[in-house]
Amino acid sequence: MDPITVLLVVFVAFLAGMEGILDEFEFHQPLVACTLVGLVTGHLEAGIMLGGSLQMIALGWANIGAAVAPDAALASVASSIIMVLALNGGSSDTQTAITTSIALAVPLSVAGLFLTMVVRTLAIPIVHAMDACADKGNFRGVEAWHIVAIIMQGVRIAIPAAALCFVPSDAVTAALNAMPAWLTDGMSIGGGMVAAVGYAMVINMMATREVWPFFALGFVLATISELTLIALGAIGLSLAFIYLGLKEAAQAGGGAGGSGDPLGDILNDY
Amino acid sequence: MADKIQLSKKDRLSVAWRHQFLQGSWNYERMQNGGWCYSIIPAIKKLYSNKEDQISALKRHMEFYNTHPYVSAPVMGVTLALEEERANGAQVDDAAIQGVKVGMMGPLAGVGDPVFWYTVRPILGALGASMAMSGNIIGPLLFFVAWNVIRMAFLWYTQEFGYKVGTEITKDLSGGLLGKITSGASILGMFIIGALVQRWVSISFAPTVSTVQLSEGAYIDWSAISSTASSDGVGAAIQSALSQQASGLSLTDTTVTTLQQNLDSLIPGLAAVGLTLLCCWLLKKKVSPIVIIIALFVVGVAGHLIGLL
């Protein structure tokens, strides 16, 4: 890669690293990070495709409280750099490069997780420095240390990204081409199943006896291929409003002296 | 009495902008405290001119704090209202401010996580990703723009809401509104996840269940087609073959049924939902998601080698 490309890639990596902790602009989501790496390296379409596939896997990865999920930032940045290297090497085809990058993204997300924990520990002395500034009423100091902490999170991804940029692309392509077809095909099959883990994480967070039927409805309605995701979203939203409305009505009815059995009430009035 | 010191809209916007960097100095000791203090600095500068007051305000806002980064906005709004009253001489002590922060952060985090991380992001992410997988730039753009518009609007308007309503917001919080939002989000979230499992978890079982020899006349007789080709030309042959296929004749003289087709005739995606529920169960058994992901790749490769997948 030429120096300007490397700089741009490192900049994208820096943004992704910052967002890995901030979770605001979402530069660390594969859909955004891989697209940006693809854009600055001239492999926009491949980057978008990789981002889409990785996003499906990473949908359920979220930082809750002190717990940290697999790190989407390092996974998406590093795997897209590897894909770009493979494509630059020439002989490897796009689909193989994408599939292999997805498989590599998984161990990378674990490595990113450890880096996050290191940085979050390093942030402890930083807040102590902020305490010291607060004691003196030093606004500038508090602000500067906070910004240092954010930069540290950006550097967490920028350094591995920069290092990867200097791997010769021939080597990456050669390694990919050396992989037998059964391995790449098998990994692509595995990649199709991996999305289930992310969904399972989300389900475990939300599932109660009350909402399981909605899961079943969503699953069954999705078999109608004419329904787009937006259509399904509209159905889901309507169901939620209908359900909450009915539930409220049932409770209000109960409070107003009804028997709690609307059908029985109607029959009695009849 | 001197004029009331008030936070202008500019001050509040400045706080809201900084609030986006809330988690920047996230640490294992007091979590989001540094980012919170960083966010509220413009208000402290405006409200307290005395150095002593500024120092005590800074220290007051370096206390432990942790919630979902977006629903933190209404907490910030209420805190701004309290600080403003305090600066104007009202009896608002440190404990009251810290109490409001701690009292709001728990229940609000319980809303923010399901609404943003488990409903809005998976839906927008899946929508964008499904377009992106075919290389369509609209996918990532849609995700990025929609997400940030929703997020910024939420941050600003809920902070304003908290600021205007002040401590009375706690009444609203206990009024069941939060519970309703949470269960509404869970319903929508579960519905969409169900749909996503069907659409995007792919397992395909390769083994052949049965191979049935078709009777004559049920498949295209290719030798007749080739004789047509030699007598009437290739065009006529292709036309004849296509019209035969359109009338329902099979292309081969056998019908192959795979295990996957059998499963699909029950309901498409049955294996996918089974796998997802298995993952749910494993996660509940405290198996790390990373272990499950790596295991699935191993299963994919091994299953492919033995011809199952």
Side-chain angles (χ1 to χ4, degrees), chain B residues 61-100:
Chain B
H61 291 293
M62 285 294 288
E63 295 295 330
F64 173 89
Y65 182 72
N66 194 38
T67 189
H68 183 285
Y70 304 171
V71 297
S72 180
V75 185
M76 179 56 89
V78 175
T79 310
L80 291 179
L82 285 175
E83 285 287 353
E84 195 179 83
E85 282 176 39
R86 179 181 168 125
N88 286 303
Q91 281 296 319
V92 180
D93 58 10
D94 293 2
I97 291 176
Q98 184 65 11
V100 164

Side-chain angles (χ1 to χ4, degrees), chain B residues 23-221:
Chain B
Q23 308 210 78
S25 54
W26 203 104
N27 60 90
Y28 284 116
E29 192 182 282
R30 275 167 286 164
M31 304 195 175
Q32 297 166 342
N33 68 329
W36 176 273
C37 186
Y38 170 81
S39 309
I40 206 167
I41 281 179
I44 296 179
K45 277 184 180 162
K46 177 70 167 279
L47 293 172
Y48 304 102
S49 44
N50 179 329
K51 193 84 186 167
E52 292 294 301
D53 292 341
Q54 288 182 350
I55 291 174
S56 70
L58 281 176
K59 286 167 83 169
R60 170 161 76 238
H61 291 293
M62 285 294 288
E63 295 295 330
F64 173 89
Y65 182 72
N66 194 38
T67 189
H68 183 285
Y70 304 171
V71 297
S72 180
V75 185
M76 179 56 89
V78 175
T79 310
L80 291 179
L82 285 175
E83 285 287 353
E84 195 179 83
E85 282 176 39
R86 179 181 168 125
N88 286 303
Q91 281 296 319
V92 180
D93 58 10
D94 293 2
I97 291 176
Q98 184 65 11
V100 164
K101 279 163 64 180
V102 174
M104 287 179 75
M105 72 190 190
L108 281 171
V111 181
D113 290 335
V115 170
F116 287 101
W117 296 160
Y118 294 137
T119 305
V120 181
R121 192 162 72 185
I123 292 174
L124 284 179
L127 187 62
S130 59
M131 294 180 184
M133 280 156 94
S134 55
N136 186 347
I137 184 77
I138 304 292
L141 280 179
L142 178 83
F143 172 76
F144 186 72
V145 172
W147 178 266
N148 282 294
V149 167
I150 293 172
R151 177 182 66 85
M152 285 183 181
F154 182 87
L155 284 179
W156 171 245
Y157 288 109
T158 57
Q159 182 186 306
E160 284 293 279
F161 179 72
Y163 175 72
K164 299 219 167 84
V165 179
T167 44
E168 289 191 25
I169 202 174
T170 44
K171 283 183 205 149
D172 285 341
L173 290 187
S174 55
L177 179 65
L178 284 188
K180 248 185 249 168
I181 294 174
T182 311
S183 61
S186 308
I187 290 171
L188 178 59
M190 285 296 277
F191 181 85
I192 292 294
I193 291 290
L196 292 177
V197 166
Q198 204 281 335
R199 294 264 166 103
W200 297 109
V201 177
S202 65
I203 314 177
S204 173
F205 292 104
T208 305
V209 176
S210 63
T211 310
V212 178
Q213 181 71 41
L214 293 172
S215 55
E216 209 161 315
Y219 56 91
I220 300 172
D221 183 357

Side-chain angles (χ1 to χ4, degrees), chain A residues 240-253:
Chain A
F241 277 113
I242 294 170
Y243 179 79
L244 290 178
L246 287 177
K247 196 174 162 188
E248 199 172 349
Q251 277 164 357

Side-chain angles (χ1 to χ4, degrees), chain A residues 31-182:
Chain A
L31 201 48
V32 182
C34 297
T35 302
L36 287 176
V37 172
L39 178 72
V40 299
T41 53
H43 293 285
L44 180 60
E45 199 178 338
I48 296 171
M49 286 158 76
L50 174 66
S53 307
L54 271 182
Q55 187 71 43
M56 282 295 177
I57 296 174
L59 279 183
W61 297 358
N63 295 327
I64 305 298
V68 274
D71 183 55
L74 188 65
S76 34
V77 170
S79 62
S80 48
I81 294 174
I82 292 168
M83 181 197 71
V84 166
L85 289 173
L87 292 175
N88 281 348
S91 51
S92 166
D93 74 295
T94 313
Q95 202 49 52
T96 314
I98 292 178
T99 310
T100 323
S101 307
I102 292 171
L104 283 170
V106 175
L108 286 166
S109 70
V110 185
L113 184 65
F114 284 113
L115 290 177
T116 313
M117 297 204 294
V118 169
V119 175
R120 287 180 176 206
T121 310
L122 286 176
I124 296 177
I126 289 187
V127 291
H128 284 278
M130 289 169 85
D131 282 336
C133 295
D135 275 338
K136 293 190 221 94
N138 177 359
F139 289 113
R140 279 275 170 74
V142 174
E143 290 168 354
W145 280 114
H146 185 66
I147 291 163
V148 167
I150 297 176
I151 291 173
M152 198 162 73
Q153 289 282 359
V155 168
R156 170 177 75 93
I157 305 297
I159 289 177
L164 268 179
C165 285
F166 290 102
V167 175
S169 49
D170 308 348
V172 176
T173 315
L176 284 189
N177 287 342
M179 289 206 325
W182 59 263

